[in-house]
Each structure stands twice: as C-alpha cells, then as structure tokens.
Amino acid sequence: ILNDSGDIIYPVPQIIITKKTLLVDNENSKSLKRDIDILIASDPKYFKETMEVVDLFSAFNLKIAIKIHPSQLIDDFKCKRYSDNLNLIPKDKLISDVANKCKIFIPTCPVSSSSEAAYYSGAKVITINYGGIKLTNFVDKYIYASVNSLEELPSLIENLLD
C-alpha cells in the first residue's frame, strides 16, 4: 500500500502496490479498451453506500462492476439480484488490472487508496462527499470530480460518458 489510508479492516493478506504495478503512463492508458463504464470500489465501512450507488445506476444502460474490498466476501453481494450489466470483481484481483478497463472509477470510501491506482490506470476518479462533507485532501491529486450527494452523480456520469 502506498499510503496508509485506514480503510482496510484486518485481517487481510498483505497487499503491496508498487509503482511498477501501476500503469503510470496516463496518456498511453487512454488508448486501452475500456469496457466497464463505471467501476465501484466497495468498502466494508461503506457497504450501504456501495449498494446505494449500484441502485442509482441500475436503471441505466451502463456496464457497471463492483471491485470487492480485500476484507469482504463475494457472498455479501450475492444477496441481491442485479442486472446483467453488473459484474462482481473478486477481492483477489488487483485494482490496477480492473481500473485499466474502466472509464469512471467511484470509490465508495472517499479516502480510498485505490483512487491512486485508478488514476494512474487512466480512469476518471469521482468521489462522493457524503452529507456534503469532504473528509480529507489525501486523494485530491487523483480526483477528476467530487459530488456532495448521490443525487448529483447521474448528471455528472452522463456528461462524462457522452
């Protein structure tokens, strides 16, 4: 982990993301095939919010994926019937590998260190300031845009995907 963000709940296997793991050439990453419209990074502390973001976009004709946090189980997400446009990405898959395939990255935890990997993979990172409160400046250099409520997300996403 490049930064101690405090968003990992232990015990989980050690996760090491080195600069070599990240696709640092942001310009060349734009030419990659991006077949995921929105990649949502789950977080056990923000499980409710993760589901709210998924529900928000379930009516849209978008390819959505949830990258499951290393300390979560895929079974946590199987309790609900999703559209065929939603994929669950296993927790053992590297975020940088998945972010290379997405256009927009939404970490449900606004201070997620995965924002850095997504940024270097060429994804547009959008954070949510729940209740209009910005928690930190920690990931500012990786953020394309922030919203202060879930209601602001659809129009922003629509504009970015046009």
Side-chain angles (χ1 to χ4, degrees), residues 46-103:
Y46 289 87
F47 184 76
K48 176 180 156 277
E49 290 83 354
T50 302
M51 296 295 94
E52 289 173 348
V53 172
V54 170
D55 289 343
L56 187 67
F57 291 107
S58 63
F60 291 74
N61 188 23
L62 299 171
K63 289 192 174 188
I64 300 172
I66 300 175
K67 170 60 179 85
I68 297 175
H69 190 277
S71 67
Q72 288 179 291
L73 301 173
I74 200 162
D75 290 343
D76 295 343
F77 295 87
K78 290 186 176 177
C79 61
K80 185 173 182 172
R81 173 71 182 125
Y82 301 108
S83 74
D84 294 333
N85 291 341
L86 183 114
N87 291 319
L88 297 175
I89 310 294
K91 63 184 181 178
D92 58 346
K93 189 95 167 153
L94 288 175
I95 189 68
S96 56
D97 292 342
V98 182
N100 281 334
K101 298 174 183 172
C102 79
K103 298 171 188 170

Side-chain angles (χ1 to χ4, degrees), residues 30-161:
K30 291 177 183 171
S31 65
L32 293 172
K33 183 176 185 229
R34 298 189 179 273
D35 54 1
I36 299 172
D37 293 315
I38 302 172
L39 174 61
I40 302 165
S42 71
D43 183 280
K45 293 179 187 174
Y46 289 87
F47 184 76
K48 176 180 156 277
E49 290 83 354
T50 302
M51 296 295 94
E52 289 173 348
V53 172
V54 170
D55 289 343
L56 187 67
F57 291 107
S58 63
F60 291 74
N61 188 23
L62 299 171
K63 289 192 174 188
I64 300 172
I66 300 175
K67 170 60 179 85
I68 297 175
H69 190 277
S71 67
Q72 288 179 291
L73 301 173
I74 200 162
D75 290 343
D76 295 343
F77 295 87
K78 290 186 176 177
C79 61
K80 185 173 182 172
R81 173 71 182 125
Y82 301 108
S83 74
D84 294 333
N85 291 341
L86 183 114
N87 291 319
L88 297 175
I89 310 294
K91 63 184 181 178
D92 58 346
K93 189 95 167 153
L94 288 175
I95 189 68
S96 56
D97 292 342
V98 182
N100 281 334
K101 298 174 183 172
C102 79
K103 298 171 188 170
I104 296 170
F105 177 75
I106 302 174
T108 53
C109 175
V111 295
S112 174
S113 59
S114 59
S115 296
E116 181 179 12
Y119 168 82
Y120 283 118
S121 296
K124 289 184 169 113
V125 179
I126 298 174
T127 58
I128 304 164
N129 300 323
Y130 300 102
I133 300 169
K134 182 177 178 179
L135 296 180
T136 183
N137 295 335
F138 171 71
V139 293
D140 279 2
K141 62 184 170 183
Y142 310 118
I143 297 173
Y144 181 83
S146 287
V147 295
N148 289 319
S149 70
L150 291 177
E151 291 77 23
E152 295 176 27
L153 266 177
S155 62
L156 175 61
I157 298 295
E158 192 174 55
N159 289 332
L160 291 175
L161 293 175

